[in-house]
Amino acid sequence: MNRIKKGDRVIVTAGKDKGKQGDVVRVIGDKVVVSNINIVKRHTKPNPQINQPGGVIEREAPIDASNVMLFNPASGKGERIGTKVLEDGRRLRVFRSSGEAIDA
């Protein structure tokens, strides 16, 4: 079970954007793309087939999932995640510090 999913609010724990928060836009294997985090400049050639102009484009690059933590609004900081198996066999993500459920 992935600890971090699309739409989660995360805080960056390492790298040039350490301490910043954002929402997960996409999960790609062991990497995540976070909104407004790890912005890189990409030099692109124009492509008239898809109506794309050329130039320097800024976009979010993937960041390793080990460098982000799920943000806990109750405590106001990033916290570790564990899983809890319910009676009916479903798995539930919980904060390890408080045991509070993340998804209902």
Side-chain angles (χ1 to χ4, degrees):
M1 178 179 207
N2 287 338
R3 296 180 192 276
I4 298 175
K5 296 182 178 180
K6 179 180 176 179
D8 285 345
R9 185 112 182 122
V10 294
I11 187 165
V12 180
T13 59
K16 65 179 183 179
D17 293 320
K18 181 177 179 177
K20 293 184 181 177
Q21 294 179 23
D23 294 322
V24 176
V25 177
R26 205 165 69 226
V27 178
I28 310 163
D30 289 338
K31 295 184 181 279
V32 293
V33 177
V34 184
S35 60
N36 298 324
I37 303 292
N38 198 21
I39 300 291
V40 295
K41 292 188 178 191
R42 172 121 175 109
H43 295 71
T44 58
K45 294 174 82 174
N47 188 349
Q49 292 179 347
I50 58 173
N51 203 13
Q52 177 185 16
V56 181
I57 298 171
E58 289 188 349
R59 65 180 180 103
E60 298 106 354
I63 185 170
D64 201 273
S66 65
N67 293 333
V68 296
M69 291 181 93
L70 201 64
F71 182 74
N72 187 353
S75 67
K77 54 186 176 180
E79 293 191 7
R80 297 188 305 160
I81 307 162
T83 56
K84 186 178 183 182
V85 180
L86 301 176
E87 295 84 28
D88 59 354
R90 290 185 300 138
R91 288 181 172 213
L92 190 66
R93 294 185 304 162
V94 295
F95 288 113
R96 288 199 179 163
S97 61
S98 62
E100 178 187 343
I102 299 167
D103 347 273

